[in-house]
């Protein structure tokens, strides 16, 4: 005589009831990367997702890649990325809209960017079509081209430097300079 296994066969209709918000296993709020979402269900057919305003504003900026602390990304070409946030180490080539290098972050390679915000280190070929911002802890070296630059007191910029590219390149007499030593400047903005 065969014994029927309770896992195979007919299911009871009350076993698969939808979880109510706040239940022990199906808590109503989850957090992934700082964005929280709340789901509620009515007979298992409708779900409502809400996000904080700050998260919605950052997501509207487009695709974002974050290389976290202690992560090393090497030998890649980064494409179709609107914002790259570097908290670890990246050795790559990229063409993007925005790069943000955190204080402990480092980027080595070549990058063509609209806006660069450097708190950490950049070494290589950097072309910033619009605005390069070097904060007090930032160090930028290599072949650097930019449209506009802001350097906080303590920020470092060294290498082959060319100013006046991007939207401002149409004007005559763009400024160009070369430097082999570290330059520190402060700007008021």
């Amino acid at each position: 005589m065969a014994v029927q296994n309770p896992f195979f066969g007919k299911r009871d209709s009350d076993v698969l009831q939808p979880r109510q918000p706040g239940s022990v296993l199906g808590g109503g709020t989850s957090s992934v990367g700082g964005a929280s979402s709340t789901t509620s269900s009515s007979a298992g057919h409708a779900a409502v997702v809400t996000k904080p305003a700050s998260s919605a504003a950052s997501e509207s900026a487009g695709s974002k890649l974050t290389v976290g602390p202690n992560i090393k990304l090497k030998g890649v070409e980064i494409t179709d990325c609107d914002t790259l946030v570097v908290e670890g180490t990246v050795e790559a080539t990229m063409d993007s809209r925005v790069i943000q290098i955190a204080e402990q972050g480092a980027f080595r390679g070549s990058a063509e960017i609209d806006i660069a915000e450097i708190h950490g280190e950049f070494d290589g070929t950097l072309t910033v079509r619009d605005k390069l911002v070097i904060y007090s802890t930032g160090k930028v070296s290599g072949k650097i081209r930019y449209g506009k630059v802001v350097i906080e007191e303590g920020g470092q910029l060294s290498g082959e430097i060319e100013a006046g590219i991007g939207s401002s390149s149409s004007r005559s007499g763009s400024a160009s300079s070369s430097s082999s030593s570290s330059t520190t400047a402060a700007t008021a903005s």
Side-chain angles (χ1 to χ4, degrees):
M1 181 183 277
V3 176
Q4 185 177 5
N5 190 335
F7 295 110
F8 299 104
K10 221 173 175 181
R11 294 184 178 173
D12 294 335
S13 61
D14 63 341
V15 172
L16 297 175
Q17 299 265 331
R19 293 187 180 126
Q20 299 300 322
S23 71
V24 174
L25 295 176
T29 303
S30 64
S31 177
V32 177
S36 64
S37 62
T38 304
T39 58
S40 61
S41 176
S42 171
H45 298 295
V48 177
V49 177
T50 60
K51 296 181 182 174
S54 62
S55 175
S58 66
E59 286 181 12
S60 66
S63 58
K64 182 176 184 178
L65 173 64
T66 301
V67 178
N70 302 320
I71 304 279
K72 293 177 182 164
L73 184 63
K74 184 177 178 180
V76 297
E77 181 179 347
I78 301 170
T79 59
D80 299 327
C81 175
D82 289 323
T83 303
L84 173 66
V85 178
V86 180
E87 297 171 346
T89 303
V90 175
E91 292 183 26
T93 61
M94 70 175 297
D95 187 349
S96 180
R97 202 174 65 75
V98 178
I99 186 169
Q100 299 170 337
I101 301 177
E103 193 170 338
Q104 68 275 19
F107 187 101
R108 292 174 186 88
S110 65
E112 291 189 24
I113 306 293
D114 289 338
I115 299 170
E117 299 176 357
I118 314 296
H119 292 271
E121 295 183 29
F122 183 97
D123 186 20
T125 304
L126 176 63
T127 302
V128 182
R129 294 179 283 264
D130 189 17
K131 187 175 183 182
L132 169 61
V133 182
I134 304 172
Y135 292 90
S136 61
T137 56
K139 296 178 183 178
V140 179
S141 61
K143 184 176 180 179
I144 315 301
R145 299 174 61 200
Y146 60 84
K148 299 175 191 170
V149 66
V150 176
I151 305 173
E152 280 188 352
E153 185 175 355
Q156 297 178 14
L157 177 63
S158 63
E160 184 181 326
I161 300 160
E162 183 179 337
I165 67 157
S167 59
S168 60
S169 65
S170 61
R171 62 183 181 184
S172 62
S174 65
S176 179
S177 64
S178 291
S179 170
S180 61
S181 63
S182 184
T183 304
T184 305
T187 60
S189 45

